[in-house]
Amino acid sequence: MKALPQLHQKKVLVLGLAKSGFTAARLLHKLGAFVTVNDSKPFEENPEAQELLNLGVTVICGRHPEDLLDEGFELVIKNPGIPYRNTLIQKALEKGIPVWTEIELAYLISEAPFIGITGSNGKTTTTTLLFHMLNQDGKSPLIAGNIGTVASGVAEKANADQVIVTELSSFQLKGTESFRPHISIITNLYEAHLDYHGSLEDYIGSKKKITANQTSEDYFIYNADQQMLVDHAKTVKAQGIPFTLKGRTEKSISADGEYIYWQGEALIERKRIMLAGEHNLENILSATAAALLSGGTKETIIRVLTSFTGVKHRSQYVGEWQGRRFYNDSKATNALATKSALEAFSDNIVLLAGGLERQHSLEELRPYMGRVKVLVTFGETADRFVEFANSCRVPTVIKAGLMDDAVEKAVSNSEPEDTILLSPACASWDQYESFEVRGDAFIEAVRKYTEANE
């Protein structure tokens, strides 16, 4: 880990704990900063705050004092989920105090270079797939970021011979200043998270920060099927590596209906690839390009592509029972992600969808609802899904309660050869703590139902 003399004996406020705030506060204390942590959870219910206090960190819990920034802080590191409209963040920016997320700290302390992966959809699959490619090639990669492992904690232990494969959200990237990945990837860009960013321009601008500090020694892998990213690539100093699904190209990486090509030469037949779905081709192309640029061998890449079946909660194959196949796509928290899932399967879909009401449009799903024979809907959006599905003339539309009820109704109204797909198109927080908890509930409900009906 690199020392950061610029932070030694500097007053730093860590706003919000959770995993990233706790790790950042511990690291800053270790680096010699004077750290204060402010978290809304009461101290007696906050084991992270208790541990930090024992280390000698100043801890303020249960409230956010309005005069906190009057104590002369020179840096604020905030939890990525805290919006910039937060009063303390607004005051910090007005005072000219830098506001980082812990990704910036991770970059500054890391001995290892970064591969940064962002985009509206496909980040986690691309990150995981690339990690497997490099790992099976003996590169000893590390994996971090929005995928669930705190980047600064990974960077603390990384050495110069490794690489940190990092999934990055717009929330994390917005709080960076000098972050410079050796390889950056933008899988795609669509409208998302406007409740946080306030505008599409701010959301896209935050995503594009992944390339802001790259130089001609670096690489930018981008979706050449989106004009917005083609235009952005022209402004980036890094070497552009476009990928396209629109047919073979002589340069970079591409795909047609039969093959994936690297620099115009066939790399692998698409029918040999285990990861299902047209939408996953973007993830496959970008991960493959990054692996090759990192010294990965074609043999290893092919071996991974013919064995990798996906990431948990992202079109995850759960199993088969009496001719019905079950897929867990709980990570589909918006209509665009569910549209991609529906594209991946043909007719005879039994779709489980619904969740937190954010008043987002469902219209992106309409062209694909003809593939849905049964819709089982739940959560706050259930009534709106019923109305939408009826307007799409879905033959059978059913409201359900929690996941056990939804799975029972889905299977009871299915037939052999059907695909039973959880792809909610909504966040989970009305009924479940997270999309992971929701997906696990689906897997468990499938297990219980199939075992009980053997």
Side-chain angles (χ1 to χ4, degrees):
M1 178 178 73
K2 295 178 181 176
L4 295 181
Q6 66 268 40
L7 292 182
H8 187 67
Q9 297 188 343
K10 301 294 184 181
K11 294 191 69 175
V12 182
L13 173 64
V14 176
L15 189 59
L17 275 177
K19 290 188 293 185
S20 66
F22 171 78
T23 304
R26 181 185 57 77
L27 269 172
L28 288 162
H29 179 70
K30 187 175 180 180
L31 290 165
F34 298 133
V35 184
T36 297
V37 166
N38 183 213
D39 192 65
S40 60
K41 187 185 292 186
F43 181 77
E44 59 273 13
E45 302 172 12
N46 202 325
E48 294 89 355
Q50 294 169 25
E51 184 173 341
L52 290 170
L53 182 65
N54 289 333
L55 291 175
V57 173
T58 302
V59 174
I60 302 171
C61 285
R63 61 193 179 93
H64 297 298
E66 292 188 5
D67 61 351
L68 184 58
L69 289 175
D70 295 339
E71 296 188 17
F73 291 109
E74 297 165 87
L75 172 66
V76 173
I77 295 185
K78 76 174 192 68
N79 183 289
I82 298 173
Y84 282 77
R85 60 180 177 272
N86 175 278
T87 301
L88 285 175
I89 299 299
Q90 287 291 319
K91 286 185 176 180
L93 294 173
E94 288 169 7
K95 288 175 174 284
I97 302 171
V99 177
W100 295 353
T101 54
E102 62 87 30
I103 291 294
E104 180 73 7
L105 178 63
Y107 173 72
L108 291 173
I109 66 170
S110 181
E111 301 280 355
F114 280 76
I115 298 176
I117 298 147
T118 196
S120 299
N121 288 303
K123 298 184 295 295
T124 301
T125 299
T126 302
T127 302
T128 307
L129 182 58
L130 174 57
F131 172 80
H132 281 296
M133 289 173 174
L134 296 179
N135 193 47
Q136 290 199 24
D137 229 334
K139 304 294 184 185
S140 300
L142 302 167
I143 192 166
N146 198 47
I147 201 165
T149 309
V150 179
S152 55
V154 173
E156 179 185 11
K157 300 173 182 178
N159 62 59
D161 295 327
Q162 296 178 293
V163 64
I164 304 177
V165 182
T166 316
E167 178 186 338
L168 298 164
S169 70
S170 58
F171 302 176
Q172 292 169 310
L173 286 166
K174 187 173 172 65
T176 58
E177 290 183 359
S178 60
F179 176 69
R180 175 193 163 193
H182 177 52
I183 299 174
S184 67
I185 299 173
I186 301 182
T187 58
N188 49 58
L189 286 178
Y190 301 101
E191 184 176 300
H193 300 304
L194 299 193
D195 54 338
Y196 180 97
H197 287 280
S199 69
L200 181 60
E201 290 74 21
D202 188 76
Y203 168 68
I204 291 174
S206 299
K207 290 287 194 184
K208 289 179 178 179
K209 288 188 78 174
I210 198 170
T211 61
N213 299 304
Q214 289 189 291
T215 73
S216 59
E217 298 177 355
D218 303 318
Y219 298 97
F220 172 38
I221 299 169
Y222 64 93
N223 191 336
D225 296 337
Q226 288 198 313
Q227 189 60 45
M228 178 195 318
L229 289 173
V230 173
D231 293 341
H232 178 59
K234 296 174 184 176
T235 71
V236 173
K237 294 179 180 177
Q239 300 173 56
I241 309 294
F243 66 84
T244 178
L245 309 184
K246 294 183 177 179
R248 174 181 173 179
T249 62
E250 294 301 318
K251 295 182 179 180
S252 193
I253 193 161
S254 57
D256 60 17
E258 295 186 26
Y259 289 93
I260 287 176
Y261 302 91
W262 174 247
Q263 296 178 341
E265 294 185 6
L267 179 65
I268 184 173
E269 285 186 278
R270 284 182 54 179
K271 66 182 181 182
R272 297 181 60 199
I273 296 171
M274 287 295 294
L275 191 59
E278 189 78 13
H279 64 293
N280 274 320
L281 268 181
E282 292 180 349
N283 310 326
I284 290 166
L285 293 181
S286 53
T288 298
L292 289 166
L293 292 171
S294 301
T297 64
K298 293 179 182 179
E299 293 76 16
T300 299
I301 289 166
I302 291 168
R303 185 167 67 249
V304 171
L305 291 177
T306 53
S307 61
F308 181 80
T309 57
V311 179
K312 192 175 184 182
H313 308 302
R314 293 158 180 83
S315 295
Q316 172 198 4
Y317 177 61
V318 174
E320 185 172 342
W321 176 81
Q322 295 189 4
R324 299 152 175 87
R325 291 192 169 195
F326 297 86
Y327 288 86
N328 166 28
D329 192 40
S330 184
K331 180 62 170 65
T333 57
N334 56 51
L336 177 64
T338 295
K339 176 185 80 75
S340 295
L342 293 176
E343 282 182 310
F345 300 98
S346 55
D347 297 339
N348 301 321
I349 298 172
V350 178
L351 177 65
L352 287 75
L356 185 72
E357 179 60 87
R358 282 176 161 172
Q359 297 299 325
H360 64 296
S361 174
L362 302 176
E363 285 301 315
E364 285 183 279
L365 301 178
R366 188 175 294 277
Y368 305 94
M369 292 301 287
R371 304 181 181 195
V372 178
K373 61 184 292 186
V374 179
L375 173 71
V376 179
T377 185
F378 44 79
E380 291 179 356
T381 56
D383 289 337
R384 197 149 67 88
F385 262 104
V386 168
E387 181 180 352
F388 176 70
N390 285 335
S391 75
C392 297
R393 299 185 179 180
V394 174
T396 304
V397 182
I398 306 166
K399 287 176 66 174
L402 292 173
M403 200 58 70
D404 283 350
D405 183 39
V407 167
E408 190 280 327
K409 287 174 175 173
V411 181
S412 297
N413 287 273
S414 68
E415 299 173 311
E417 307 303 321
D418 285 352
T419 295
I420 299 177
L421 171 67
L422 171 68
S423 189
C426 300
S428 62
W429 304 316
D430 58 333
Q431 294 179 306
Y432 298 95
E433 181 181 333
S434 66
F435 73 83
E436 293 96 340
V437 172
R438 178 172 63 189
D440 287 339
F442 173 74
I443 294 169
E444 178 62 15
V446 170
R447 184 194 66 79
K448 287 193 297 186
Y449 183 92
T450 55
E451 288 184 358
N453 291 275
E454 282 294 346

